[in-house]
Each structure stands twice: as structure tokens, then as C-alpha cells.
Amino acid sequence: MEKATGQEIFKASFSFKTNWDTVFDDEEFVKVFSEDILEKYIVQKRWYAGKASTLKYIEIVDHFPIVSGNDLYYGVLLEVNFKEAFFQNYFIPLAFSSVHQNEDYTTICKLQCNDREGYLIDALHLEAFRKHLFECILHAESKEEALKVRFHKGRSLEEKKYISSRFMGVEQSNTSIIYNDKLVLKFFRRIYINTNPDYEISRFLTENSSFTNTPAYTGSISVSHNKEEVITLALMQELVPNEGDAWAYMLKELHKVFSNLEYKKITVNSLPEVSLFKRLRITDIPPEIIDWAGLNLFTKIRQLALRTAQMHIALGSDIHNTAFTPAHYNGDYTVWLKNRLIYQFQNRLNTIENNLHKLDGIAMELAQQFLERKKEIRKRFLDFDWTQLKGERIRIHGDYHLGQVLVHGDDFYLLDFEGEPESTIRDRKVKQPPLKDVAGMFRSFHYAIYSTIFNNSDKYSHDKHELFKAGEILYRFMVGVFMETYVEKVQHENLNIGYSREIEFILKYCMLEKAVYELGYELNSRPRWAVIPLEGIASIMNYN
């Protein structure tokens, strides 16, 4: 290996007695590509999600040509198998280039096919390939539904021609390309043998609802696999002007709030408190809290609550499309839910027992409480009686938090509807209570508060216990303001989320689920932060 242009370039050269246009018919190429080339290349990529596991072998499950004039590219679907007995699927578009002259290429290896020498590269790093994809979407027709590779043009796409393309930021779990400085084509590197929820929900919101605070769906690329299965490869949406995500915005705002404790000489024990989930209009917030936290924080939360409500109203508005028609709670859903959560709970229980030695102070105390009350927490998950619930389930965001929201002026845009990363693609499409998204946002508020304390504690004069107490007080007022706007809006628009007792039950249930989910990640990745989900669990279970 050698460093070049900031990326790892695979230096080895491979030679095959086949032409590029028949390369996947050559058994030797397929074997060497899978075993020697890909295994060394894929583990370096940011979008590879198997870094914590041991790669066993890679298999090519499908490939298809993408032809543009005289240029031939390949789309390749991979199955990466792990020694831990599970697998993941990935998508890589390939190109064979005779020259290596652009520092933005991602070079996989040097390659010789018969007498032709060159480089095997990720085709997305070729402008000619990016242009071809854009023009295929631009000129897509409905008759292409019968083809292997399918391009779809959304109703909102107004562009007439290709002008430019560039990558959006640093490549993460997906690869996003900006076209004409107006559109974003997001390639799903890790794919699922099914249509992606992000595609389904984005297209539905744009073409079947009046909700506009999400990037408009403008097109997509999919592939027909094994005749009956359709795999979403890429999703194209409008590029929304923004000042960053709501997570970064919230951290800045909260830093001001905690700095005010000293600046305004506020005594934490004198701050008024409110019960969790109590609905609050901004006019109901005590003047001491407004003086401390400022009015702007609460007006922004009110706006975010409104947009969240409007998203759910749109997702629950269709009575014809069965994939989006609201559904009642039933026995099948309850069995699915309990099995899933008990399995997750047992997994987290094992994790905390194995990592207890990493904790100290408040985190250790809360972890001990968690273990002492494990039967009570497990029972809380099992106490889901669907016959007592009158609300409805709908398709939801599924992984809703501040990082999935863009800030634009005084408004918010909601995005990334792929769903919870640990869930199967089938589970992500199960209709859930819309309050599960609300619970996810509340957990994100909680994280933002504690993240601000952890990252800036040396800048505040109050000790950590006082900061934690102030954070819990602020959190409850933030939740209260969100609740008032959200519940009032969805009930006014006849989205059935149940009445007060049911709303509180679902919120507590989903927040407990989220906090237990978070606990495993924190214990494995950053034990110092385990106090955040542990505090959340304690609050929900009324430990404190």
C-alpha cells in the first residue's frame, strides 16, 4: 500500500485473459476480485459497516452493465459474510480507466484485461459516469420498469440538462453527489434486498402529501434482482439551503443556556420544576426559566414540534395506499414488539454486566439501580396491552433525532427516512406509533443537554451535580413545550394518537426502549457517556 491523494491506493496489479466487456463471465476474475481485491479494498471505506466484525468471505450476488455510448460500467451487488454468522449487502459501481490523472478517483487496483492496461475504479468518481446517471433519470420513461436497471424521474424534477456534479462533504455510510448545485443524489452503499424506506417515504411525502418541509423527491435508481425483488440503489432529492443540522444548532444554544447560570448568578435549587410530559404553552413557562434559558430556545422547539406533527399527519393521511394506511394495534404487532424488545433488553443487560468495571460515580450508581430493577424494566416492556390502546400506527421516520433535521432560518427540514440502523429492512417498515419518533427526539434533547455539560464542564463554575440537575429541569420544560404544540396539532388534524393516559404510556414505553438501545452503544464505545441513557432510564422508571 502507499498513500496517494489522501486515499489508500491498492498498488498490486492484476492481469486476466479476458476483455472488460466479458470480465464477469471469467471465473478467475470473479474469484480474484472477490477474494483478493475486494477484501483489501472494502475494509478501508468509510461506508463499510462491518469494521467491528470479522470478515469471512465476499460473494458477488449480482452484476449488471451500465452502458453510456462507448463506455461500459458495471453495477455490482456484494454479499459480505462474517464469522459471527451474519451478512451485509453492498453496492459498488465499477469503471475501467486507461488513465489515472484525477486525484478524486478511488482506485481499487491496477488492472490488465488482455492487452488493455489501466485502473479499476469506483465509477462514481468519474464525472462521465455521474453525468450519465443524471441524464438517465432526466429522460426516464415508465416503460423502463421492465428493465434490469430502472431510472425514475420524480414529478418535482425541473432540471433540463446536466451542468455539473461534485461530492457532498466527506463520504460516510452513503455517498452523496450534488448536481447543478440544486439536487442531491444519495447512493446507498449498504443496500437491502428490498426498496429502501428513505425512497418510499420521501417519494410519498412529495407526491402524495402537502408536506413541504423535507427535501422534495426528484428521482431514483433501482435494480431488479431475481425478477421479483427491487433494490433501491440511489435516491435523488432537492438540495435544501441550510445552516447545518439541528444537533449542532442545539449544542450552541444550550452552551449559552448553561453559561447563563454563572453570568446571571442563578441558583439551581431555586429554579422552578415541572413534571415530565406536562404540556406547556410558552406563556406557561415561569419567568425564571425564560430569564435563564431565553425565549428563542422554546420558540425553536415549538416550530420543530409543529413540523414533526405535520410530517406524521402527512404519513397518516392516505387511506388508499396500504403501505401508508393507518393501522390499529393488534396481537401480531404486540408479539413482534415484545419479542424484539426483550431480545434487545437481554443483550443490553449482558453488556452492562460485562462492562460495569468501566463505570464510576453517578454512572455506577445508576447502573447498579438498573441491575437491581432489571425484572421491573423487563416487566415494563412486557406490559404492552394492545386491547387498551385506541390510537393508530403509521409509517414513521424511525430514527428521528436532531441530527436528522436541517436548520434553515427559523425553520426546520426533516430528512433521512432510512430507519433505525440495527433493525432489519422489514422491521423498519412496520407501522409504529408516531409517538415513537417524538420519543426519539426527546432522547436527542436529553443527549444534547448532557453532551453540552460533558464537552464544556471546565467552562462552567457550577459542579457537575448542579449542572445535571439544571439539565433535567430544562429538559422537562423543553419536552413540555414540544408536547403542547405537537399534540394540539395532530389532534386538530384527526391523527389518532390516543388520549392523555395512552399518550403518556406510549411515550414512556418508547423512551425506555430508546434509552436501553442507547445504553449498549455507550458502554461499548464511550463508557463515560453511559450516564446519559442511564439517567434517562432512571427518570422514566421514576428512580429519582
Side-chain angles (χ1 to χ4, degrees):
M1 296 273 192
E2 65 178 14
K3 287 280 186 180
T5 68
Q7 297 182 6
E8 291 287 346
I9 302 295
F10 195 45
K11 193 175 181 180
S13 180
F14 296 85
S15 179
F16 300 96
K17 294 180 179 179
T18 182
N19 293 325
W20 175 242
D21 58 359
T22 57
V23 73
F24 279 98
D25 296 327
D26 186 274
E27 291 183 5
E28 183 188 3
F29 172 81
V30 172
K31 177 178 173 62
V32 173
F33 179 62
S34 301
E35 296 178 3
D36 298 328
I37 300 174
L38 274 179
E39 287 190 14
K40 292 180 175 65
Y41 170 77
I42 196 172
V43 294
Q44 302 176 46
K45 308 311 294 176
R46 287 178 178 268
W47 41 259
Y48 177 61
K51 291 180 173 64
S53 303
T54 306
L55 193 155
K56 187 176 181 181
Y57 66 90
I58 297 176
E59 181 179 358
I60 298 173
V61 295
D62 202 357
H63 71 276
F64 45 90
I66 302 173
V67 182
S68 174
N70 295 324
D71 296 321
L72 172 63
Y73 310 98
Y74 288 103
V76 183
L77 307 184
L78 310 174
E79 182 179 282
V80 180
N81 289 267
F82 299 95
K83 290 184 179 178
E84 291 84 351
F86 73 99
F87 66 88
Q88 296 172 344
N89 292 110
Y90 290 90
F91 169 70
I92 298 180
L94 297 178
F96 185 27
S97 176
S98 299
V99 292
H100 178 57
Q101 60 187 12
N102 189 322
E103 65 178 8
D104 287 332
Y105 283 0
T106 294
T107 301
I108 298 172
C109 68
K110 292 180 180 179
L111 184 67
Q112 181 172 343
C113 290
N114 280 332
D115 296 330
R116 184 182 173 191
E117 294 184 359
Y119 300 89
L120 185 64
I121 62 176
D122 185 323
L124 288 179
H125 290 262
L126 285 173
E127 185 179 11
F129 181 70
R130 299 197 299 265
K131 179 182 179 182
H132 174 66
L133 296 177
F134 184 79
E135 290 177 339
C136 285
I137 293 175
L138 204 60
H139 303 297
E141 298 179 6
S142 58
K143 64 183 180 182
E144 293 175 353
E145 290 295 313
L147 301 178
K148 177 78 173 179
V149 184
R150 307 174 183 179
F151 297 92
H152 182 261
K153 178 181 180 180
R155 299 173 195 165
S156 298
L157 183 57
E158 297 178 350
E159 294 295 288
K160 302 299 181 185
K161 64 178 182 178
Y162 172 90
I163 299 173
S164 65
S165 62
R166 58 186 170 86
F167 289 100
M168 174 189 248
V170 178
E171 186 176 75
Q172 297 293 339
S173 56
N174 300 309
T175 302
S176 294
I177 299 164
I178 298 177
Y179 284 98
N180 297 0
D181 290 325
K182 294 180 181 178
L183 302 162
V184 180
L185 181 65
K186 176 166 64 176
F187 266 88
F188 300 108
R189 292 298 197 158
R190 183 180 174 189
I191 58 168
Y192 301 92
I193 311 301
N194 207 317
T195 50
N196 192 292
D198 200 4
Y199 155 77
E200 291 180 342
I201 293 178
S202 295
R203 184 174 177 182
F204 176 84
L205 288 174
T206 300
E207 300 188 345
N208 297 84
S209 85
S210 59
F211 184 63
T212 57
N213 279 72
T214 188
Y217 167 83
T218 55
S220 59
I221 306 172
S222 60
V223 60
S224 173
H225 178 67
N226 292 339
K227 295 182 179 180
E228 297 180 358
E229 298 164 326
V230 176
I231 300 170
T232 308
L233 299 181
L235 166 68
M236 191 160 75
Q237 298 169 292
E238 69 171 342
L239 179 64
V240 177
N242 66 88
E243 295 85 59
D245 64 39
W247 172 258
Y249 173 83
M250 189 64 76
L251 292 185
K252 289 180 184 176
E253 290 298 307
L254 290 171
H255 178 47
K256 296 176 191 174
V257 173
F258 282 103
S259 296
N260 275 343
L261 287 173
E262 181 177 4
Y263 178 71
K264 298 196 173 186
K265 295 181 171 54
I266 293 170
T267 304
V268 173
N269 287 332
S270 68
L271 289 171
E273 300 186 36
V274 68
S275 59
L276 188 62
F277 305 130
K278 179 177 175 60
R279 292 169 55 179
L280 297 167
R281 297 183 184 278
I282 289 182
T283 52
D284 298 330
I285 302 174
E288 298 94 323
I289 299 297
I290 295 293
D291 180 56
W292 166 39
L295 186 61
N296 181 62
L297 176 67
F298 296 111
T299 57
K300 288 295 194 300
I301 288 172
R302 182 174 61 185
Q303 185 67 9
L304 179 58
L306 176 64
R307 296 310 184 202
T308 306
Q310 291 170 337
M311 171 184 69
H312 287 150
I313 291 162
L315 289 172
S317 64
D318 199 311
I319 59 173
H320 304 293
N321 184 344
T322 54
F324 286 89
T325 305
H328 291 288
Y329 295 98
N330 57 29
D332 289 342
Y333 172 76
T334 303
V335 170
W336 170 85
L337 180 69
K338 290 180 180 179
N339 286 342
R340 186 166 174 266
L341 295 192
I342 292 303
Y343 173 82
Q344 179 179 282
F345 177 71
Q346 191 59 48
N347 175 276
R348 269 35 178 189
L349 198 60
N350 294 338
T351 302
I352 199 168
E353 287 173 342
N354 294 333
N355 290 274
L356 207 58
H357 62 282
K358 298 179 182 178
L359 306 178
D360 56 25
I362 298 174
M364 174 62 84
E365 292 175 22
L366 291 169
Q368 293 288 3
Q369 287 183 343
F370 178 88
L371 292 173
E372 289 168 6
R373 297 179 178 245
K374 61 186 179 185
K375 290 183 179 178
E376 186 181 339
I377 297 171
R378 184 185 287 110
K379 183 177 183 300
R380 186 73 68 92
F381 283 134
L382 292 172
D383 285 347
F384 189 93
D385 184 357
W386 69 270
T387 64
Q388 301 298 310
L389 303 176
K390 307 304 178 186
E392 292 179 319
R393 299 177 290 124
I394 60 172
R395 286 293 293 274
I396 63 171
H397 186 288
D399 188 29
Y400 195 51
H401 54 78
L402 290 165
Q404 308 284 42
V405 177
L406 294 179
V407 179
H408 183 40
D410 291 327
D411 211 346
F412 299 97
Y413 283 77
L414 319 183
L415 64 158
D416 290 340
F417 296 89
E418 280 194 76
E420 197 172 71
E422 281 191 22
S423 298
T424 65
I425 199 71
R426 181 168 294 182
D427 283 353
R428 296 184 200 190
K429 298 185 180 188
V430 171
K431 291 169 185 172
Q432 303 256 43
L435 289 167
K436 182 173 182 178
D437 280 344
V438 175
M441 187 56 70
F442 289 170
R443 292 298 308 139
S444 194
F445 288 171
H446 206 240
Y447 257 80
I449 287 169
Y450 278 83
S451 178
T452 302
I453 294 171
F454 284 146
N455 292 335
N456 301 282
S457 58
D458 59 324
K459 300 172 185 174
Y460 308 138
S461 60
H462 292 67
D463 66 36
K464 196 164 284 186
H465 285 82
E466 285 186 298
L467 292 172
F468 285 171
K469 181 173 182 180
E472 289 295 325
I473 292 170
L474 178 63
Y475 170 66
R476 294 179 177 224
F477 279 101
M478 291 167 68
V479 166
V481 170
F482 191 105
M483 283 284 293
E484 172 60 27
T485 299
Y486 177 85
V487 174
E488 181 179 38
K489 182 63 178 177
V490 296
Q491 290 184 340
H492 182 264
E493 298 292 335
N494 296 318
L495 178 65
N496 187 359
I497 60 171
Y499 290 99
S500 298
R501 287 183 62 187
E502 181 172 335
I503 290 171
E504 188 167 325
F505 169 78
I506 294 292
L507 277 173
K508 285 183 176 180
Y509 193 94
C510 293
M511 285 173 69
L512 184 61
E513 174 192 351
K514 286 281 185 182
V516 169
Y517 172 86
E518 295 157 3
L519 183 58
Y521 173 82
E522 300 301 353
L523 285 169
N524 287 321
S525 305
R526 46 185 186 185
R528 189 171 70 98
W529 286 50
V531 69
I532 304 177
L534 285 168
E535 280 276 14
I537 294 167
S539 177
I540 297 160
M541 297 297 295
N542 297 317
Y543 294 166
N544 49 23

